[in-house]
Amino acid sequence: MTLEELSARQRAFSDARAWGPFHTPKNLVMALSGEVGELTELFQWLTPDEATAAPDDPATRARIEDELADVLLYLVRLADVLGVDLLAAGHAKIDRNEVRFPAGVGKGALDKVERDS
């Protein structure tokens, strides 16, 4: 399934329930933020090693997948309501980041720490 097909399916789901009046950009952003918070909660107090291993537990993996799906679906719905092509926007952002952060120039955060000291 493509992102366009997912967006169309989500739109049809919303339309079948007459949710359109509630799916304003403000409401969708707030719902998206709430779902990101629920995803954050799953990792909040874990060590880096525990967070990496979290998907190994089937119950935790199911919760992670559900929250990631919620984030994705609200993001896709928001983009649809706003008329934003997420794939085009994503590619454009990567293009800008390739200029801002050329490959091989630094070592990420370690390079920044060395420059700042």
Side-chain angles (χ1 to χ4, degrees), residues 19-34 74 78:
W19 288 351
F22 307 104
H23 283 191
T24 64
K26 177 194 79 74
N27 288 350
L28 290 168
V29 167
M30 291 175 64
L32 175 60
S33 178
Y74 274 116
L78 176 62

Side-chain angles (χ1 to χ4, degrees), residues 33-50:
S33 178
E35 295 302 337
V36 169
E38 290 180 18
L39 179 61
T40 301
E41 179 187 11
L42 298 177
F43 293 91
Q44 184 172 6
W45 302 114
L46 302 181
T47 66
D49 288 340
E50 290 169 337

Side-chain angles (χ1 to χ4, degrees), residues 36-92:
V36 169
E38 290 180 18
L39 179 61
T40 301
E41 179 187 11
L42 298 177
F43 293 91
Q44 184 172 6
W45 302 114
L46 302 181
T47 66
D49 288 340
E50 290 169 337
T52 300
D56 296 340
D57 173 64
T60 303
R61 181 178 196 86
R63 292 177 64 204
I64 291 168
E65 288 177 358
D66 276 350
E67 296 309 334
L68 285 170
D70 287 340
V71 169
L72 173 65
L73 293 172
Y74 274 116
L75 180 62
V76 166
R77 182 69 179 134
L78 176 62
D80 185 43
V81 167
L82 293 174
V84 172
D85 179 335
L86 278 175
L87 291 180
H91 283 291

